[in-house]
Amino acid sequence: MILTVTLNTALDITYRVRSLRPHTTHRVSEVTERPGGKGVNVARVLAALGYEVTVTGFVGGSTGRIVQDALTATPGVVDALVPIGGVTRRTIAVVDERTGDTTQLNEPGPAIAPAEWSAFLEAYEDLLAPASAVALCGSLPPGVPVGAYAGLIRTARAAGVPVLLDTSGEPLRRGVAARPDVIKPNADELAELTGSHEPLRATQDARRRGARTVVASLGAEGLLAVTPEGRWHATPPNRTHGNPTGAGDSAVAGLLSGLVERLPWPDRLARAAALSAASVLTPVAGEFDDAVYRELLMRSSDTREGTVAQI
Amino acid sequence: MILTVTLNTALDITYRVRSLRPHTTHRVSEVTERPGGKGVNVARVLAALGYEVTVTGFVGGSTGRIVQDALTATPGVVDALVPIGGVTRRTIAVVDERTGDTTQLNEPGPAIAPAEWSAFLEAYEDLLAPASAVALCGSLPPGVPVGAYAGLIRTARAAGVPVLLDTSGEPLRRGVAARPDVIKPNADELAELTGSHEPLRATQDARRRGARTVVASLGAEGLLAVTPEGRWHATPPNRTHGNPTGAGDSAVAGLLSGLVERLPWPDRLARAAALSAASVLTPVAGEFDDAVYRELLMRSSDTREGTVAQI
C-alpha cells in the first residue's frame, strides 16, 4: 500500500456563491464537505486510480468525526489517523459561480501535545512496514517540531521506503536536508527555498540541497523535473482554469503511483501532468475528471500534445 | 421571561484574516465560534443586560451540539430549542484586519420535516404562557411554511403576549398582515415591503399594512419610529463603523427590554440606538461594548447628543 501523512488534516468545506464581493453578505447556494489536507487529497486521488492507500496524521473533535466517517466510506482508503484532544481544522473554499474562481480560507489547526506526537511516531513506524512509498504532505500544526519531516524521512529511509515530501517554508528546508527521494515544490515554494525565481536554476539548486529528485509544479508552465536519470519538462496538455491547490495534490498522486510502478520518468511526468490538468477542472481538491484524465494521457502518448521533453 | 424564536439558528463562526482578497488563499489568524441566528443574538444581548431569556427554534447535528453547549454556558439564557434530524447551519464572518470590514457567508440551513414543525408549534404554545414578550427573528429554513410568522403572531396574541417581528421578504409581508405589535425592518426590508425608498412614507405605509408600531433601522441615519403614540427619530450618538448585522439585533433587544418595562417610546428608542451603536464596535453579532453603551445612554439623556426627537 501507499502511505500518506497529513499532520494538519482538515474538514474541507466548499461554498458556492453567486459572486464573492468583500464586505457584503452572501447566501451560500450549495455546501459540500469532505476530508482534506494535502495527504488526504493525494490518498483520494490514488484510491480513485485503484491503489490501496493508508492515511495517517492527526484527527479530533466534531470536525474530525466527519473526516473519519467520510474516509471510512471511501473505497481503497484505510483510516489510520491518530486521535488528539484538539479539534480538526476547517478550510473553506468559496467558489464564485460567475467566474469559477475560488477564494480559500484555512484555519490554523489544533495544537498537538507531546504525547500525541509520540503516539504518531510509533504509529508511523508500524505503518511503514507494509508501505511501498510514503508521501509527507502539507503544513505542520502547532506543537509539532519544525524539523518533524526530516525525522520522518530518516525513519522511512531506515525502513527502505521511498519518500516524497510536499511542504513549504522551514519544514521544507529542513526536510530537504534529510535527503528525501522526491520533493514537489510549486514556483513560490521553490523560490522561497532557493532564493531563485529562475525555475531551472532553482530546481537544480533544490537538488543540491539534498533532494534526490525535484519536480517543480509551475502551474500553466507545467512540471519541471531534475532527476538522477536526467531532466524533463512536461508541458500541460492544454490550458485549464480552476482550483490550483487540487492540481498539486493530483500531481503528487501521479508521481507516487509512477514511483511504486517503477515507470520511467517521462511516463510518471505525463501521468502527473494529465492528473493535474484533469483535477483543475473540478472545484474540489482530491478529485479529478476521470474521462478528461484518460483522454489527456492518451493524447499525450498519441499526438505529442502535452509532451514530456528531455531538456 | 422574554422569549426569542430563531427558526434558522446557526453556528456563527468568525475568521480574522489580514486582508480578504478574492481568488487568493488566506491563513485564518483567529477562529471564534458562538451560537447565532437573529433571535439567539437578541437573547444574548438581553441576557447581558440582566433579563431572563428563553431561546427556541430548531437545532440539530454536530454544529447544533456546539450551539446548545454554548447556550447552556450563557448565564440568563434558557435553551428550549427543538431537536431536528438535519444539521444546524453555519455562518462565516470574515473580518478584514486591515479595514475592519466584515464579509458574510451564510449557509442555507437544514430542511424542517412536517413532524418537526408540529413539535415546534406545541413547544411554542407552552413557552408563551410564562413570557412577557416574544421576538420572532430571522429567515425561515426550508420546509417551514412561508406564512409561519403570521400563525405564530396570532398564537401570541391569543396568549396575550406582545410580539416583535424582525424578518424580511415574503415572511415579513405575511407576518405584518397578522398585526404584530412591533416590526423592525432595515431600509432594504422596508423598501421591499412597501415599494417606497422614502423612509418616513415607507414606515407609515408598513403601519397601514398591519404593524401596530414600525421601528425602521436606517444605519447611520438612526431609528425612525411610527407608533400609536407618535412619531420619533433617534439620531445615533455618533458615527460608528463595524458589523451592521449585530446592530439590528441589539436594537431589537433594546426595544424588547423597553417594551417589557413599559418605558415611554423616546426611552426605548434611546436605549435601542445606544445598544446598536455599542454593538457596531464589536465584530460579533449578539455582543456589545457595555462601557460604550452606558456612556452613550448617559450622554443621550445629559447633553442631548444622540437625541430622540418627535417628528
Side-chain angles (χ1 to χ4, degrees), chain B residues 241-293:
Chain B
H241 184 68
N243 183 349
T245 312
D249 299 338
S250 292
V252 168
L255 295 174
L256 274 177
S257 67
L259 188 156
V260 299
E261 288 182 26
R262 300 173 190 279
L263 295 185
W265 271 107
D267 294 348
R268 297 190 198 184
L269 295 169
R271 186 181 285 188
L275 272 176
S276 220
S279 72
V280 162
L281 295 172
T282 68
V284 171
E287 293 183 7
F288 61 95
D289 186 314
D290 192 57
V292 169
Y293 166 59

Side-chain angles (χ1 to χ4, degrees), chain A residues 262-276:
Chain A
R262 300 174 191 278
L263 294 185
W265 271 107
D267 292 349
R268 297 189 198 184
L269 295 168
R271 187 182 283 189
L275 271 177
S276 218

